[in-house]
């Protein structure tokens, strides 16, 4: 008699008071995401009346199904009545989103980046040379919040003064994507600063006429987008393009300091460098979740989610799903997980991902040639964010290569 398949048993149910925005979850979300995945393909979280989706295949499918998992109403937990006026092209579904995508892709798409390679490589070498000569530095202040702000700031054509605040403003935007409360309230003064900066500084007359920002406004002059839409594209450059890359670059150095064997592997085989950055993004995604509105009654691998529900798509959980990744909680620079979801997937995948990869590769290539060891010189500090993984300080020292 042939063996009969064993029916699947449901995983452990989540505690009714489970809060994905609790401080202990934000400090280390991965045990909580494991519980979400074990509990089901889509799990209702009563505390915030949201459905958490944490398995890789389900998150990827939802990201690619904008007809069912709509960005209308915004990509935060709380619904926004007019996300376009709020400056969020990521909150617009196709086909309206297509013109945003074309405009962003014209500036940041892979076809347009090779010409930037030499400039980025030279600046990366100069930064690494300076940091190695210093011997000790902070991976956040001197690396993560320096290089991408300088590169993208120049590409957009921003004045130098004031742009250094952009990573903090970006973190505040992401904090506003969570529930109302102290953390969201604390973000409001920073959001006011960002609005003032954009209104006073990011104007046609202040931008470099050869920069990406000016080209976006030229597209508005041609009627490809209106002025509000043009401004929202520039805001996307500033918020998404700088904040997430800053966080990922700081996390990169922290992980290499914490895993000296992986740094040794990179030095022994620099061909692993592109995949190493992908592994950083998979292992600790800079944005852990975005939200969608469910437009019809639907099933997520058998779990029924009702029309009108808010869905929390857990990128960070999907990237640690053992159904997709072998030994998912191990940091391995040889893994090369190019299909991770840290940049999203589908129509709303990050428009600036090619630039982020180019920056990370240039920095790592320069670092591998000059540094033998990367060591922690103090305790790293995190800033707890509603959807983002943000480091405040990572003191490091480096031992130069012989």
């Amino acid at each position: 008699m042939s063996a009969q398949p064993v029916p699947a048993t449901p995983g452990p149910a989540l505690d009714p008071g489970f809060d994905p925005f609790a401080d202990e979850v934000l400090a280390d979300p991965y045990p909580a995401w494991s519980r979400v995945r074990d509990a089901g393909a889509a799990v209702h979280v009563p505390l915030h009346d949201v459905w958490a989706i944490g398995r890789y295949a389900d998150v990827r499918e939802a990201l690619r199904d904008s007809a069912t998992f709509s960005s209308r109403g915004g990509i935060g937990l709380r619904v926004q009545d007019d996300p376009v006026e709020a400056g969020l092209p990521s909150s617009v579904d196709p086909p309206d989103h297509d013109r945003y995508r074309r405009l962003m892709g014209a500036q940041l798409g892979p076809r347009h980046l090779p010409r930037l390679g030499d400039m980025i490589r030279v600046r990366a070498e100069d930064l690494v040379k300076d940091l190695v000569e210093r011997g000790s530095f902070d991976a956040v202040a001197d690396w993560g919040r320096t290089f991408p702000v300088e590169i993208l700031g120049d590409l957009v054509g921003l004045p130098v003064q004031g742009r250094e605040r952009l990573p903090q403003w970006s973190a505040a935007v992401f904090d506003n994507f969570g529930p109302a409360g102290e953390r969201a309230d604390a973000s409001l003064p920073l959001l006011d600063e960002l609005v003032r900066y954009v209104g006073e500084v990011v104007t046609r007359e202040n931008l470099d006429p050869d920069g990406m920002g000016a080209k976006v406004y030229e597209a508005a002059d041609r009627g490809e987008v209106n002025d509000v839409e043009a401004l929202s594209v520039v805001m996307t450059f500033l918020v998404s393009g700088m904040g997430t890359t800053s966080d990922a670059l700081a996390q990169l150095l922290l992980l290499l300091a914490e895993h000296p064997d992986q740094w040794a592997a990179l030095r022994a085989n620099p061909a692993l460098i592109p995949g190493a950055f992908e592994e950083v993004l998979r292992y600790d995604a800079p944005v852990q979740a975005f939200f969608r509105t469910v437009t019809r009654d639907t099933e997520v691998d058998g779990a029924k989610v009702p029309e009108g529900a808010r869905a929390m798509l857990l990128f960070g959980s999907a990237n640690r799903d053992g159904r997709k990744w072998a030994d998912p909680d191990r940091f391995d620079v040889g893994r090369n997980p190019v299909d991770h979801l840290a940049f999203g997937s589908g129509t709303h995948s990050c428009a600036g991902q090619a630039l982020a990869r180019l920056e990370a590769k240039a920095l790592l290539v320069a670092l591998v040639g000059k540094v033998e060891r990367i060591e922690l010189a103090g305790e790293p500090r995190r800033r707890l964010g509603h959807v983002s993984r943000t480091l405040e300080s990572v003191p490091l020292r480096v031992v130069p290569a012989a």
Side-chain angles (χ1 to χ4, degrees):
M1 190 167 94
S2 61
Q4 296 299 310
V6 178
T9 57
L14 290 174
D15 184 289
F18 171 72
D19 186 359
F21 303 104
D23 285 358
E24 62 270 20
V25 174
L26 300 181
D28 181 11
Y30 299 107
W33 299 163
S34 178
R35 296 198 300 275
V36 169
R37 293 192 302 272
D38 288 345
V43 183
H44 187 237
V45 180
L47 199 60
H48 298 288
D49 192 20
V50 67
W51 289 78
I53 300 176
R55 298 176 184 174
Y56 177 89
D58 301 322
V59 174
R60 185 177 185 273
E61 184 175 349
L63 287 168
R64 290 173 169 264
D65 183 5
S66 59
T68 305
F69 293 90
S70 172
S71 296
R72 291 195 306 272
I75 57 174
L77 174 65
R78 293 166 288 161
V79 174
Q80 288 180 293
D81 292 333
D82 195 343
V84 177
E85 291 291 341
L88 296 170
S90 56
S91 300
V92 181
D93 288 329
D96 292 336
H97 181 265
D98 295 345
R99 63 179 179 273
Y100 289 106
R101 193 73 188 184
R102 284 193 297 270
L103 187 52
M104 290 187 286
Q107 308 303 323
L108 289 174
R111 297 194 311 274
H112 304 275
L113 292 178
R115 60 187 173 83
L116 304 175
D118 289 341
M119 178 269 289
I120 290 175
R121 184 169 58 253
V122 169
R123 292 193 183 189
E125 290 172 352
D126 288 345
L127 176 61
V128 169
K129 180 176 182 291
D130 175 64
L131 296 178
V132 172
E133 288 176 351
R134 288 165 54 179
S136 61
F137 59 93
D138 193 288
V140 178
D142 301 320
W143 168 279
R145 291 183 183 171
T146 298
F147 196 70
V149 170
E150 176 184 323
I151 296 296
L152 192 55
D154 286 353
L155 290 179
V156 172
L158 298 176
V160 173
Q161 186 174 3
R163 63 164 76 163
E164 72 281 352
R165 294 279 288 161
L166 284 164
Q168 291 96 320
W169 293 333
S170 174
V173 171
F174 290 134
D175 275 350
N176 205 43
F177 288 168
E182 291 183 8
R183 186 166 287 111
D185 290 345
S187 73
L188 296 180
L190 291 170
L191 295 179
D192 288 341
E193 288 181 18
L194 174 59
V195 170
R196 285 197 301 273
Y197 173 80
V198 171
E200 296 171 4
V201 177
V202 190
T203 61
R204 290 171 182 258
E205 58 270 20
N206 287 336
L207 294 174
D208 186 325
D210 295 324
M212 295 191 306
K215 288 181 171 59
V216 169
Y217 286 120
E218 290 170 5
D221 292 339
R222 295 192 297 270
E224 296 173 22
V225 291
N226 62 40
D227 284 344
V228 172
E229 293 167 341
L231 182 59
S232 73
V233 169
V234 175
M235 284 281 285
T236 298
F237 290 158
L238 303 186
V239 172
S240 299
M242 291 195 188
T244 54
T245 305
S246 296
D247 293 336
L249 290 178
Q251 184 69 29
L252 166 67
L253 284 193
L254 173 60
L255 286 170
L256 291 174
E258 291 177 331
H259 299 83
D261 61 321
Q262 299 302 298
W263 175 241
L266 279 185
R267 293 199 70 223
N269 184 7
L272 295 175
I273 284 174
F277 185 56
E278 305 300 332
E279 176 67 350
V280 170
L281 294 166
R282 181 202 70 83
Y283 186 82
D284 204 3
V287 175
Q288 290 283 300
F290 279 152
F291 300 80
R292 298 290 192 268
T293 296
V294 180
T295 62
R296 61 180 177 85
D297 291 347
T298 191
E299 288 193 7
V300 180
D301 195 18
K304 295 181 179 180
V305 183
E307 178 182 351
R310 290 295 276 174
M312 184 178 190
L313 306 184
L314 294 167
F315 307 153
S317 173
N319 285 344
R320 294 284 193 102
D321 186 0
R323 298 164 185 79
K324 168 67 176 176
W325 317 101
D327 201 3
D329 295 321
R330 180 170 61 90
F331 176 63
D332 178 7
V333 297
R335 191 189 300 267
N336 194 26
V338 292
D339 49 351
H340 64 75
L341 298 180
F343 286 133
S345 186
T347 188
H348 284 300
S349 59
C350 176
Q353 59 185 283
L355 179 60
R357 290 182 169 113
L358 195 62
E359 293 175 11
K361 179 181 177 182
L363 287 167
L364 277 177
V365 167
L367 202 66
V368 158
K370 292 181 173 63
V371 171
E372 181 177 342
R373 293 197 310 278
I374 306 170
E375 301 171 345
L376 284 172
E379 189 69 23
R381 289 189 293 107
R382 281 199 180 274
R383 175 190 179 279
L384 302 185
H386 274 153
V387 300
S388 61
R389 295 279 287 162
T390 302
L391 288 157
E392 279 296 323
S393 177
V394 182
L396 295 176
R397 56 176 166 264
V398 293
V399 177

